[in-house]
């Protein structure tokens, strides 16, 4: 079955480079596919993955006032995310009594995990890696094949399916797509474990989407958690918390697949010609209204 998946990855590269997307890059310098509309054949992909009867775990954090985004997240996911596959949502929240009732499709379920909150949104972000690490170790080893870690303040708008699956999956940040490396907001202080020198870096990855096989994602979140612990002991906080550490990890542990900005769009940017579809985008909000601190 792994042979079929490798064949699929090869077909993604060929499709992207030869079959209609000359307007965007469809492979990385290390030959990982970048998934865009028009670079894959969904029938071929589903024929491969549906034979395996896979389960996809999804982690989502709805702490504090972020619970207000959960209903739209779940309802839109049920319409567009991995339709036809088994999906298990794992919801971390400090407000379990406010979890909305959402009708889930066949083979799809929701587990609510009571979670302590924090007075600092930065701390909530910093603890996410640790909580995903423990969830994989204690709960998911025998219950899921793939995992996606997604931000709750986002909404699905179009198909997101098995074309997104891979060993280790990152998403290109819409805010830095097409910009030079000098503009990336990597952590530039050598004192931080997330430090990336000015002359290094491939892409800027969004922290709102992380995916892959359980073992690969477990290694990622564990490494980031350990680096976050070192930074905390040294009284330093990376520029963009876990996202900074994620970018450091992906620099030296290349993703096997990249998702284009279709999979994490910023609606304030309109819809450029290269965006044939918007699959998932972050909800516009006033951070002062939902974050526990500025």
């Amino acid at each position: 079955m792994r042979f079929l998946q490798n064949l699929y990855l090869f077909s993604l590269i060929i499709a992207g480079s030869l079959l209609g997307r000359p307007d965007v890059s469809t492979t990385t310098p290390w030959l990982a596919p970048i998934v865009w509309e028009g670079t894959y054949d969904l029938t071929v992909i589903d024929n491969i993955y549906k034979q395996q009867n896979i389960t996809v775990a999804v982690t989502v954090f709805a702490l504090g006032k972020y619970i207000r985004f959960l209903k739209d997240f779940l309802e839109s996911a049920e319409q567009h995310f991995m339709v036809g596959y088994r999906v298990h949502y794992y919801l971390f929240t400090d407000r379990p009594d406010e979890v909305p009732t959402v009708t889930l499709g066949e083979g799809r379920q929701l587990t609510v995990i009571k979670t302590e909150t924090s007075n600092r949104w930065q701390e909530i972000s910093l603890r996410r890696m640790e909580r995903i690490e423990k969830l994989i170790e204690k709960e998911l080893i025998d219950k899921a094949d793939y995992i996606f870690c997604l931000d709750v303040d986002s909404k699905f708008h179009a198909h997101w399916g098995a074309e997104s699956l891979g060993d280790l999956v990152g998403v290109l940040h819409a805010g830095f797509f097409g910009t030079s490396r000098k503009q990336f907001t990597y952590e530039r202080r050598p004192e931080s474990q997330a430090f990336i020198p000015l002359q290094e870096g491939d892409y800027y990855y969004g922290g709102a989407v992380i995916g892959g096989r359980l073992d690969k994602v477990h290694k990622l979140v564990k490494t980031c958690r350990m680096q976050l612990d070192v930074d905390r002991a040294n009284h330093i906080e990376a520029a963009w918390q876990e996202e900074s550490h994620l970018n450091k990890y992906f620099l030296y542990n290349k993703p096997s697949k990249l998702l284009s900005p279709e999979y994490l769009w910023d609606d304030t940017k309109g819809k450029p010609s290269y965006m044939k579809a918007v699959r998932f985008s972050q909800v516009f909000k006033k951070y002062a209204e939902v974050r526990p601190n500025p």
Side-chain angles (χ1 to χ4, degrees):
M1 194 59 67
R2 182 57 66 89
F3 169 76
L4 290 176
Q5 292 173 11
N6 290 337
L7 183 63
Y8 154 55
L9 287 176
F10 179 72
S11 70
L12 268 180
I13 294 172
I14 296 300
S17 58
L18 297 180
L19 300 181
R21 290 310 303 263
D23 57 325
V24 290
S25 296
T26 56
T27 57
T28 69
W30 58 94
L31 298 182
I34 305 175
V35 184
W36 294 89
E37 176 70 16
T39 63
Y40 58 88
D41 185 327
L42 189 58
T43 300
V44 172
I45 295 167
D46 282 341
N47 284 340
I48 293 171
Y49 284 101
K50 287 192 174 180
Q51 291 181 43
Q52 301 176 54
N53 201 27
I54 63 170
T55 296
V56 179
V58 176
T59 63
V60 59
F61 289 73
L63 296 168
K65 294 180 181 179
Y66 275 75
I67 194 76
R68 69 178 63 176
F69 303 112
L70 182 60
K71 190 171 191 295
D72 278 352
F73 176 92
L74 289 173
E75 288 183 343
S76 63
E78 284 301 289
Q79 292 178 38
H80 302 295
F81 180 76
M82 300 301 297
V83 175
Y85 291 88
R86 290 204 307 264
V87 172
H88 194 149
Y89 304 99
Y90 290 88
L91 168 65
F92 294 82
T93 183
D94 57 338
R95 300 183 178 187
D97 294 339
E98 297 180 36
V99 174
T101 299
V102 174
T103 301
L104 304 181
E106 183 179 356
R108 301 165 78 94
Q109 57 184 309
L110 170 68
T111 295
V112 178
I113 302 171
K114 181 78 163 61
T115 307
E116 63 183 24
T117 189
S118 172
N119 292 325
R120 298 179 66 245
W121 69 263
Q122 295 93 336
E123 185 65 23
I124 293 171
S125 175
L126 290 164
R127 293 291 305 279
R128 190 170 73 138
M129 293 293 191
E130 176 186 353
R131 286 164 173 156
I132 296 170
E133 175 190 3
K134 290 180 178 178
L135 177 71
I136 293 174
E137 292 174 352
K138 297 180 179 180
E139 183 74 20
L140 300 186
I141 295 300
D142 299 319
K143 295 184 179 179
D145 304 282
Y146 294 88
I147 184 171
F148 276 100
C149 312
L150 306 175
D151 276 7
V152 71
D153 53 335
S154 307
K155 186 176 180 178
F156 295 87
H157 303 281
H159 164 85
W160 176 328
E163 78 284 347
S164 64
L165 298 176
D167 283 352
L168 187 61
V169 180
V171 66
L172 298 179
H173 194 296
F176 297 98
F177 180 73
T179 66
S180 69
R181 182 167 58 197
K182 292 180 181 179
Q183 295 175 273
F184 295 169
T185 54
Y186 292 150
E187 174 55 61
R188 300 300 190 184
R189 293 169 294 174
E191 296 82 9
S192 173
Q193 295 293 303
F195 168 66
I196 296 177
L198 285 170
Q199 68 274 18
E200 295 187 33
D202 304 308
Y203 302 95
Y204 192 90
Y205 300 94
V209 176
I210 307 168
R213 290 185 174 275
L214 286 185
D215 59 334
K216 302 295 185 182
V217 175
H218 179 261
K219 181 180 178 182
L220 181 157
V221 295
K222 182 177 182 179
T223 301
C224 289
R225 189 267 304 164
M226 293 171 65
Q227 292 178 345
L228 286 159
D229 286 347
V230 172
D231 272 9
R232 184 180 290 107
N234 291 330
H235 306 289
I236 189 168
E237 189 173 282
W240 293 104
Q241 294 83 41
E242 61 174 22
E243 185 173 86
S244 297
H245 289 271
L246 173 70
N247 273 274
K248 173 69 173 289
Y249 187 88
F250 277 156
L251 175 59
Y252 299 112
N253 303 268
K254 307 296 189 190
S256 61
K257 181 181 291 182
L258 273 62
L259 303 181
S260 71
E262 295 174 0
Y263 294 81
L264 185 62
W265 188 239
D266 178 352
D267 290 333
T268 64
K269 296 182 176 299
K271 191 176 178 183
S273 59
Y274 60 80
M275 288 288 293
K276 308 301 182 185
V278 174
R279 306 183 186 283
F280 190 58
S281 67
Q282 295 185 306
V283 176
F284 176 77
K285 55 200 165 292
K286 294 181 179 180
Y287 286 108
E289 293 181 358
V290 294
R291 287 179 171 175
N293 61 291

